[in-house]
Amino acid sequence: MEYFILTSKIVITLLYTLTLILLCIFGLHRYYLSYLYGRCKNKKPVPKDRFAVLPKVTVQLPIYNEMYVVERLVDSVSRLDYPKDLLEIQILDDSTDRTTEIAAACAERYRAEGFNIKHLHRENRQGYKAGALREGLEKAEGELVAVFDADFMPPPEFLKNTVDFFTDPKIGMVQVRWGHVNLDYSNLTRAQSILLDGHFVIEQTSRFNEGMFFNFNGTAGVIRKECIESSGGWQHDTLTEDLDLSYRAQLAGWKLVYVKDMTADAELPVDMNAFKSQQHRWAKGGVQTAIKLLPRIFRDQRLPFRVKLEAFFHLFGNISYLLLLLLFLLMFPVALFWRHLGWENGIVLNIFAITAGTFSFVLFYIITVKEVHGKKWLGYLKYVPLAISIGAGMAVNNSKAVLEALLGKTSEFRRTPKFAVTSRTDNWRSRSYVASKELTAIVEIVFGLFFTVQTVFALYMGYLSWIPFLLLIQFGFFYTGLLSILHGSGKKGIPAGVNTIMPEPALPRDKEF
């Protein structure tokens, strides 16, 4: 029995050590991206030339049950500063509720104003968003295709500032940065904005300027029609059809352009369950794309090793959630075992490694806040710990997504409900759509309790340097779990896909979180 216990402790120690090493490597990668950004942040892409004759552009608007935002979307697109005779608008409508009527009426109204606008309604969701884009592309008149999701509001100058990049025949896609129309709606939206801005400001900028693969984000971008077709078209065997296509395009030799200094505003999810559903889709789709394309990337002799390595970190980045969850479960049993053996120096080294890994994220998001908010950055700095805490609290939700991808489990494309929430006076609870509820909220609360016990135990054992880290993680699990339950309770809506519209009573605005 003693031999079995000793063997188990050794195996757990080895597993923990390997997990910690891998997480430290991901942490070092964050430092690396921050360094690259500092080196290239002032570089700005410039079009090779200017079009003497502007190309025709098809604007695709994929929607699915978006009755609160579809009119705003079409209105924003109609304001694009581009010749009407060179602009085609496709409303790619897979809706099963009143959205279809609203979209059809929008199309008719703007058609009467001289716009070339088409409302294309499908009776099925075959291929989900990728399927809608693929079918729309078959009818598209433009040689360039701009894509906007339902919650986006492109600025009027969007096309004027992007199409000229396509004077270079090697350019296949142009992506701009996402803005946040409801940034200050709640603490949740502020934290989300920091997490997203880290991707758009540091990751995308660094990868683009350093000649590495980066991704089209599925919206707020322009794609050459030929690029889509020659790269294999829109495919729906992953939940991130945009990531998949952009990597296939770069493998096919197309170049992508990232324009950091231009933004297209969109809504951040105001419902924790919607946010978790979005994160689940992105995490699972990223790993699915990694499994699908990384073998091909590493076999490609034309690509430098640093490009292949960065593609690995990019596509498999969400594996870190699974590693983080494993680390959380093992850290105290291992610490007790090491203390029993008298390995106090090992415990100190362990704390140092965890702190260094955590600080990589702190530095990453401090840089992000400074770059995005300029002189106002100190006002948003206080939300960095919340953003990191929520990121850790998403470990259960995103680990589930990663495991599903690794095990080959398929799932439907779950859209993120949009409620046209743009100011703090808007109330989303009276709106009809609800995000799917998962049992992960209960697991997150259990983890919060687990870390509460660990915090008390750390105080008792004198591991005072662990306390800030434990409190950060503890809060993250309680915040995501409890807010999921709070946002899911009393929400009198209907799941997307149902043909009935719930009444919209006038309710007071939610308490801010």
Side-chain angles (χ1 to χ4, degrees), residues 221-264:
V222 186
I223 317 175
R224 194 187 297 272
K225 185 177 181 180
E226 181 188 354
C227 171
I228 301 174
E229 294 171 338
S230 66
S231 303
W234 293 107
Q235 299 175 8
H236 61 271
D237 52 347
T238 75
L239 290 179
T240 47
E241 74 294 323
D242 43 13
L243 177 65
D244 174 30
L245 175 62
S246 51
Y247 262 70
R248 282 188 282 113
Q250 289 167 106
L251 281 168
W254 292 98
K255 296 186 181 302
L256 278 61
V257 173
Y258 179 63
V259 185
K260 174 176 70 78
D261 295 330
M262 182 179 181
T263 61

Side-chain angles (χ1 to χ4, degrees), residues 68-310:
Y68 299 114
V69 294
V70 62
E71 286 187 274
R72 184 183 69 186
L73 170 67
V74 178
D75 180 65
S76 296
V77 171
S78 73
R79 298 174 188 271
L80 289 172
D81 183 13
Y82 209 73
K84 278 186 182 180
D85 60 324
L86 296 176
L87 187 67
E88 177 194 26
I89 303 172
Q90 291 182 338
I91 305 176
L92 306 176
D93 181 13
D94 284 359
S95 301
T96 58
D97 66 0
R98 254 189 59 212
T99 303
T100 298
E101 301 171 25
I102 298 171
C106 277
E108 185 176 348
R109 182 167 68 251
Y110 283 103
R111 197 178 300 118
E113 294 181 14
F115 285 91
N116 178 10
I117 182 169
K118 300 177 178 66
H119 175 233
L120 305 175
H121 181 248
R122 298 198 304 169
E123 297 295 333
N124 62 73
R125 290 189 73 202
Q126 184 177 1
Y128 304 110
K129 179 182 175 182
L133 292 170
R134 184 177 61 245
E135 291 189 26
L137 191 68
E138 293 174 358
K139 303 178 179 68
E141 300 170 4
E143 59 183 280
L144 302 179
V145 179
V147 182
F148 296 104
D149 283 349
D151 55 324
F152 274 75
M153 289 162 279
E157 67 275 11
F158 177 85
L159 290 178
K160 283 290 183 70
N161 290 350
T162 54
V163 295
D164 283 321
F165 285 102
F166 293 94
T167 55
D168 184 345
K170 297 179 181 178
I171 301 299
M173 301 181 188
V174 176
Q175 174 70 55
V176 309
R177 180 161 59 93
W178 294 3
H180 317 296
V181 70
N182 58 342
L183 165 65
D184 290 316
Y185 181 81
S186 67
N187 288 337
L188 176 60
T189 56
R190 294 184 187 102
Q192 283 182 69
S193 73
I194 293 172
L195 296 173
L196 267 178
D197 288 341
H199 167 72
F200 279 98
V201 173
I202 298 182
E203 293 183 17
Q204 293 286 71
T205 302
S206 299
R207 289 173 182 143
F208 165 61
N209 283 318
E210 294 296 324
M212 295 179 285
F213 282 12
F214 73 98
N215 62 298
F216 170 61
N217 294 102
T219 177
V222 186
I223 317 175
R224 194 187 297 272
K225 185 177 181 180
E226 181 188 354
C227 171
I228 301 174
E229 294 171 338
S230 66
S231 303
W234 293 107
Q235 299 175 8
H236 61 271
D237 52 347
T238 75
L239 290 179
T240 47
E241 74 294 323
D242 43 13
L243 177 65
D244 174 30
L245 175 62
S246 51
Y247 262 70
R248 282 188 282 113
Q250 289 167 106
L251 281 168
W254 292 98
K255 296 186 181 302
L256 278 61
V257 173
Y258 179 63
V259 185
K260 174 176 70 78
D261 295 330
M262 182 179 181
T263 61
D265 285 338
E267 279 187 45
L268 293 161
V270 294
D271 174 5
M272 175 59 82
N273 294 299
F275 174 54
K276 288 166 69 174
S277 178
Q278 181 189 70
Q279 291 293 307
H280 183 280
R281 185 176 75 246
W282 290 351
K284 184 173 181 177
V287 176
Q288 287 174 327
T289 304
I291 294 171
K292 175 180 178 180
L293 295 180
L294 273 179
R296 181 177 163 189
I297 290 170
F298 275 90
R299 286 195 304 265
D300 196 321
Q301 300 297 319
R302 300 168 301 169
L303 299 177
F305 179 73
R306 69 184 189 92
V307 173
K308 297 177 181 180
L309 189 61
E310 182 58 33

Side-chain angles (χ1 to χ4, degrees), residues 373-391:
H373 297 288
K375 294 180 180 179
K376 298 179 180 179
W377 76 277
L378 287 174
Y380 289 91
L381 186 62
K382 60 187 175 184
Y383 299 108
V384 169
L386 176 62
I388 294 173
S389 186
I390 290 176

Side-chain angles (χ1 to χ4, degrees), residues 250-445:
Q250 289 167 106
L251 281 168
W254 292 98
K255 296 186 181 302
L256 278 61
V257 173
Y258 179 63
V259 185
K260 174 176 70 78
D261 295 330
M262 182 179 181
T263 61
D265 285 338
E267 279 187 45
L268 293 161
V270 294
D271 174 5
M272 175 59 82
N273 294 299
F275 174 54
K276 288 166 69 174
S277 178
Q278 181 189 70
Q279 291 293 307
H280 183 280
R281 185 176 75 246
W282 290 351
K284 184 173 181 177
V287 176
Q288 287 174 327
T289 304
I291 294 171
K292 175 180 178 180
L293 295 180
L294 273 179
R296 181 177 163 189
I297 290 170
F298 275 90
R299 286 195 304 265
D300 196 321
Q301 300 297 319
R302 300 168 301 169
L303 299 177
F305 179 73
R306 69 184 189 92
V307 173
K308 297 177 181 180
L309 189 61
E310 182 58 33
F312 174 86
F313 276 108
H314 184 191
L315 297 179
F316 261 138
N318 287 297
I319 291 286
S320 60
Y321 286 104
L322 192 58
L323 295 171
L324 193 63
L325 203 59
L326 189 59
L327 184 82
F328 291 160
L329 291 170
L330 296 177
M331 58 189 300
F332 256 73
V334 168
L336 288 174
F337 177 48
W338 289 3
R339 186 182 180 94
H340 176 72
L341 294 176
W343 294 359
E344 298 295 339
N345 290 336
I347 296 174
V348 173
L349 181 63
N350 180 33
I351 295 171
F352 174 78
I354 292 174
T355 302
T358 304
F359 185 72
S360 71
F361 286 87
V362 174
L363 176 65
F364 186 88
Y365 291 117
I366 287 177
I367 295 172
T368 296
V369 170
K370 289 183 69 174
E371 292 297 310
V372 172
H373 297 288
K375 294 180 180 179
K376 298 179 180 179
W377 76 277
L378 287 174
Y380 289 91
L381 186 62
K382 60 187 175 184
Y383 299 108
V384 169
L386 176 62
I388 294 173
S389 186
I390 290 176
M394 298 298 292
V396 173
N397 180 78
N398 290 4
S399 292
K400 176 176 175 286
V402 169
L403 285 172
E404 287 179 3
L406 292 174
L407 296 173
K409 180 182 177 182
T410 58
S411 57
E412 67 173 345
F413 184 103
R414 293 180 180 176
R415 73 170 183 88
T416 306
K418 291 96 178 180
F419 304 106
V421 171
T422 57
S423 71
R424 299 188 59 165
T425 58
D426 292 331
N427 172 44
W428 60 272
R429 281 187 174 270
S430 62
R431 304 297 169 88
S432 296
Y433 301 131
V434 295
S436 59
K437 302 170 188 175
E438 303 282 351
L439 291 176
T440 53
I442 303 300
V443 180
E444 287 155 2
I445 293 172

Side-chain angles (χ1 to χ4, degrees), residues 434-509:
V434 295
S436 59
K437 302 170 188 175
E438 303 282 351
L439 291 176
T440 53
I442 303 300
V443 180
E444 287 155 2
I445 293 172
V446 170
F447 265 93
L449 293 171
F450 176 66
F451 273 93
T452 301
V453 173
Q454 286 196 347
T455 303
V456 173
F457 193 71
L459 285 169
Y460 174 75
M461 298 297 291
Y463 297 154
L464 299 183
S465 56
W466 287 47
I467 302 303
F469 175 75
L470 290 172
L471 289 176
L472 190 73
I473 304 306
Q474 172 190 325
F475 178 80
F477 280 119
F478 275 134
Y479 189 87
T480 54
L482 292 174
L483 204 57
S484 295
I485 293 173
L486 180 63
H487 283 175
S489 63
K491 179 72 172 69
K492 297 180 180 180
I494 56 174
V498 179
N499 287 300
T500 305
I501 302 302
M502 295 289 290
E504 298 186 13
L507 298 179
R509 186 187 170 274

